[in-house]
Amino acid sequence: MQDAIVAEGLVKTFGEVRALDGVDLNVPTGTVLGLLGPNGAGKTTTVRVLTTLLTPDSGRATVAGYDVLKHPDEVRRSIGLSGQFAAVDEYLTGRENLQMVGELYQMRGSAAKSRAQELLEWFNLAEAADRPAKTYSGGMRRRLDLAAALVVRPPVMFMDEPTTGLDPRNRLALWEVIQKLVADGTTLLLTTQYLEEADHLAHDIIVVDHGKVIARGTADQLKAQTGGERVEVVVHDRELIGTATEVLRGFSRDGVSVDKHTRRLTIPVQGGAKLLAEVIRELDARGIEIDDIGLRRPTLDDVFISLTGHHAEDADDDGDESGDGSGSAAEDTGSAAEGAAQTGKDDAR
Amino acid sequence: MTATDTSTGTIAPTTLAPKPRGGLAQSVHDSLVIARRNLIRMKRIPEIVVFGLIQPVMFVLLFAYVFGGSIAVDGSTDPKMFREFLMAGIFAQTVTFATAGSSAGIAEDMTKGLIDRFRSLPMDRGAVLTGRTIADLVQTTLTMVVLIIVALMVGWRIHNGIPKALAAIGLMLLLGYAFTWIGALIGLSVRTPEAATSAGLIWLFPLTFVSNAFAPTSGMPTWLQHIADWNPFSATVQAGRVLFGNPGVSQSDAWPMQHPVWASLFWSVLIIVVFRTLAVRKYRSATA
């Protein structure tokens, strides 16, 4: 399959900062590439180079078969861009915004008009169509922005952190739109800080940090690279941690990691769910009461930590995702998860 | 409230944008689309237009009644003479002061995500700026109409017929349009809209005061008089007085004062060519 997006050795410096330090990537036609990384990793700079907004210091890139440096206008005809900050004119109505974009894509006035109506309906903005965009909620603006990127229904789309700042419901709704677009054959490059999002939407994932690609593969490949599943047990009674450790040692060749403070014991396992049942039976037989037990699959956050030594996200919004890959987390494990996240961060500093 | 209603089917098959028109036709088309955008904004933020009107009207009244009677025009200190003399200067000053708004508007645009959208579209590269300057010209024209009415009320008159008066107004608007390109360049060169507001205004004071606009240049030191005579702004003011038939036409031997209409045209076109080129180049390389 032909690649819709190709980048080779992209370098871009801003003063002292090497925002891009030799980024290579390719996105096969009709697939989604998730560009994953923390703030300042170079995700947005990559998108800006590929959408002709920024000229790289060196390297080359083609989008939809056109060189971004030599044929920027051909590239612009083939792409839609939905940015991190809703790029709409807030004093224009939703309809006026979409019509303007259509006309600037060189559509005829009447075609731009009917396309605007179509998109307003599709994105559930028809009722608000004739209100200035500044009266829209965050989710509505984001939808309008995405609609603007879809005016000509471009074969290649770039979305720079499309769901940052959206509430969960709006995020899910946007995911659905994205999946629909991909089902229709759109090639998509998506940047995100949310590991869950890349896991959910992307066929391939590239992890960037400090302007460099530090890992690439499918979500599963990246997870496998980090190591397999683990069983985590939270023992109720601190006195019994020693006994529980002995029990778990019987299931693990690689030893048991113990966090006395949170009463959490972790062992790497291969047996999956079957083994989990055995662990529970054995602990029960020894009379050890447990607060929580779960089979923990590595999340992309684990991948990130093992690759970079720090979390992908900022402190204020990473607690939940880092704690739980198995769906087993009881309420009281939240603090333990945060404790673990904190340790990870301290290491990074 | 979900964004997807999959029952309505596909969003339409993947398509490319239509072939670009290319050349001047596209340039004009795209500029007009952007001009319309800016005019809609003006309509929705009427404060900008209203305050744009108040300032020049205030200037007319202040100058006419504060300085009228203390500045001699053609050897006379009759306040009526001064008011007739003053108007061409106020008109020209008003059209040039409107450029501060262009600076601020463009600087503000450049801080918004919308500019990334524009720059990722297959549109004419200069259209965002040209559209802005066209919209500003519309606003300036509106201001001029109001100002002319106020001027007629304080005693200013046209003495050489309507066609010449229209030509004079045309020259004023052309000067104003030329200056919005300087404003555009300033707006692109500063980092914040706030900086653009002051940077867009400061240079206009010496430019409009070291001229024949508010007092005859004959009272200035010789070196300053030379600067005033060759000031692009003075040429348009002089052309206005000649075409309106107002008093106080400069008798200086300097070429622009002897041929003010041509000098005004020459300066305005030169400013447009130079500053449009610089501004469009700056816009292309700008990184929002």
Side-chain angles (χ1 to χ4, degrees):
Chain A
M1 207 183 324
Q2 205 200 334
D3 288 333
I5 307 173
V6 181
E8 285 167 16
L10 296 181
V11 173
K12 179 73 190 178
T13 53
F14 297 110
E16 297 287 291
V17 184
R18 260 175 118 74
L20 296 182
D21 197 2
V23 169
D24 302 307
L25 60 82
N26 62 300
V27 189
T29 303
T31 69
V32 181
L33 176 74
L35 201 57
L36 195 66
N39 286 329
K43 303 188 297 288
T44 298
T45 311
T46 305
V47 170
R48 293 178 65 86
V49 167
L50 293 174
T51 52
T52 77
L53 297 178
L54 205 59
T55 309
D57 299 339
S58 64
R60 58 177 288 278
T62 60
V63 172
Y66 299 108
D67 190 302
V68 295
L69 294 174
K70 291 185 194 128
H71 304 286
D73 265 322
E74 298 298 328
V75 171
R76 290 179 193 124
R77 285 177 62 216
S78 317
I79 62 170
L81 169 65
S82 181
Q84 193 174 149
F85 306 102
V88 296
D89 190 314
E90 43 180 28
Y91 286 97
L92 265 55
T93 65
R95 188 189 306 282
E96 286 164 347
N97 265 294
L98 294 180
Q99 261 172 251
M100 173 179 72
V101 171
E103 284 174 26
L104 293 174
Y105 267 120
Q106 313 305 323
M107 290 167 80
R108 285 167 188 281
S110 56
K113 205 172 223 173
S114 59
R115 181 63 178 155
Q117 181 60 31
E118 222 170 273
L119 286 164
L120 288 164
E121 281 165 22
W122 208 79
F123 281 94
N124 238 316
L125 292 166
E127 267 176 50
D130 298 308
R131 267 175 23 211
K134 69 176 173 148
T135 66
Y136 287 16
S137 70
M140 288 165 79
R141 275 191 212 202
R142 207 61 76 91
R143 296 212 297 275
L144 181 61
D145 183 63
L146 188 53
L150 291 171
V151 165
V152 295
R153 206 44 195 87
V156 182
M157 291 272 302
F158 293 88
M159 296 192 193
D160 191 11
E161 301 196 8
T163 64
T164 298
L166 285 189
D167 63 35
R169 192 191 52 176
N170 275 309
R171 182 181 297 180
L172 282 176
L174 210 65
W175 283 5
E176 277 183 49
V177 175
I178 291 170
Q179 283 165 329
K180 182 91 177 79
L181 289 175
V182 175
D184 286 351
T186 305
T187 306
L188 171 64
L189 190 152
L190 167 96
T191 79
T192 182
Q193 296 187 47
Y194 301 112
L195 307 156
E196 190 195 352
E197 187 161 285
D199 201 356
H200 195 82
L201 296 174
H203 298 105
D204 289 301
I205 292 172
I206 282 183
V207 185
V208 290
D209 199 25
H210 301 299
K212 284 192 172 113
V213 175
I214 55 173
R216 63 183 82 215
T218 62
D220 287 339
Q221 284 168 350
L222 290 176
K223 286 175 185 174
Q225 199 176 317
T226 318
E229 300 165 328
R230 278 160 287 170
V231 166
E232 270 183 12
V233 180
V234 177
V235 180
H236 180 72
D237 190 345
R238 200 175 296 275
E239 306 298 315
L240 293 176
I241 287 177
T243 324
T245 308
E246 267 173 49
V247 172
L248 289 179
R249 198 164 284 143
F251 292 95
S252 162
R253 263 170 287 142
D254 302 322
V256 185
S257 70
V258 181
D259 182 341
K260 285 201 170 132
H261 179 65
T262 59
R263 311 185 308 280
R264 177 182 298 258
L265 314 177
T266 310
I267 52 165
V269 297
Q270 262 131 32
K274 187 165 162 283
L275 194 98
L276 184 65
E278 285 174 33
V279 172
I280 294 172
R281 272 198 296 274
E282 189 66 26
L283 287 168
D284 197 40
R286 300 279 199 104
I288 300 169
E289 196 182 333
I290 53 178
D291 283 345
D292 184 36
I293 184 163
L295 186 63
R296 192 169 190 265
R297 296 190 182 85
T299 64
L300 279 171
D301 207 14
D302 296 325
V303 174
F304 209 87
I305 295 169
S306 78
L307 286 168
T308 66
H310 59 84
H311 276 259
E313 296 177 40
D314 296 327
D316 53 348
D317 57 7
D318 70 346
D320 343 339
E321 277 162 353
S322 63
D324 171 38
S326 62
S328 73
E331 282 305 313
D332 59 348
T333 61
S335 62
E338 269 164 35
Q342 202 52 55
T343 319
K345 276 190 197 79
D346 289 341
D347 290 346
R349 280 185 199 122
Chain B
M1 252 309 269
T2 61
T4 42
D5 180 3
T6 39
S7 62
T8 60
T10 166
I11 324 180
T14 300
T15 48
L16 278 183
K19 268 273 173 215
R21 294 149 223 256
L24 190 64
Q26 178 169 351
S27 197
V28 170
H29 168 268
D30 293 354
S31 300
L32 290 177
V33 171
I34 298 290
R36 195 176 62 212
R37 170 218 165 205
N38 283 310
L39 289 172
I40 293 173
R41 285 174 65 91
M42 277 177 203
K43 200 173 75 187
R44 307 248 158 92
I45 325 173
E47 304 91 282
I48 295 180
V49 181
V50 171
F51 283 104
L53 282 174
I54 290 174
Q55 193 203 341
V57 170
M58 211 163 62
F59 267 58
V60 172
L61 300 177
L62 285 176
F63 274 95
Y65 294 102
V66 175
F67 293 121
S70 52
I71 296 175
V73 175
D74 290 350
S76 158
T77 52
D78 180 356
K80 276 187 188 159
M81 283 283 273
F82 180 71
R83 277 177 229 158
E84 287 237 48
F85 163 83
L86 175 70
M87 277 312 146
I90 295 275
F91 290 154
Q93 191 202 31
T94 302
V95 298
T96 54
F97 268 57
T99 61
S102 316
S103 301
I106 284 168
E108 199 198 332
D109 271 356
M110 296 306 287
T111 64
K112 296 278 166 69
L114 186 61
I115 219 73
D116 277 353
R117 161 129 298 134
F118 286 148
R119 294 175 74 232
S120 73
L121 290 173
M123 61 185 281
D124 179 73
R125 295 289 91 183
V128 168
L129 301 177
T130 309
R132 172 86 215 184
T133 57
I134 292 172
D136 286 340
L137 181 62
V138 172
Q139 189 189 346
T140 309
T141 308
L142 203 76
T143 311
M144 276 293 270
V145 171
V146 174
L147 205 56
I148 288 169
I149 294 168
V150 175
L152 289 170
M153 279 159 52
V154 300
W156 171 75
R157 293 291 178 269
I158 294 166
H159 302 279
N160 286 343
I162 301 289
K164 280 192 176 176
L166 288 177
I169 291 161
L171 282 178
M172 305 265 174
L173 292 174
L174 182 67
L175 179 78
Y177 183 72
F179 271 50
T180 53
W181 282 106
I182 304 179
L185 185 64
I186 293 171
L188 291 166
S189 305
V190 297
R191 284 201 189 87
T192 65
E194 291 76 16
T197 309
S198 37
L201 207 54
I202 287 171
W203 60 283
L204 288 167
F205 282 99
L207 186 103
T208 53
F209 280 86
V210 182
S211 76
N212 56 358
F214 306 110
T217 55
S218 49
M220 297 178 185
T222 320
W223 62 274
L224 203 59
Q225 203 177 324
H226 284 307
I227 297 176
D229 282 347
W230 285 87
N231 184 343
F233 183 74
S234 298
T236 305
V237 175
Q238 175 90 339
R241 286 188 186 124
V242 170
L243 292 170
F244 290 134
N246 292 147
V249 171
S250 168
Q251 301 305 315
S252 162
D253 291 337
W255 185 83
M257 292 298 104
Q258 292 296 319
H259 308 89
V261 174
W262 290 112
S264 172
L265 272 174
F266 167 79
W267 280 122
S268 294
V269 171
L270 182 72
I271 291 168
I272 292 172
V273 169
V274 171
F275 284 89
R276 187 179 193 280
T277 309
L278 292 175
V280 171
R281 186 179 300 169
K282 188 102 190 162
Y283 171 80
R284 288 184 183 194
S285 64
T287 54

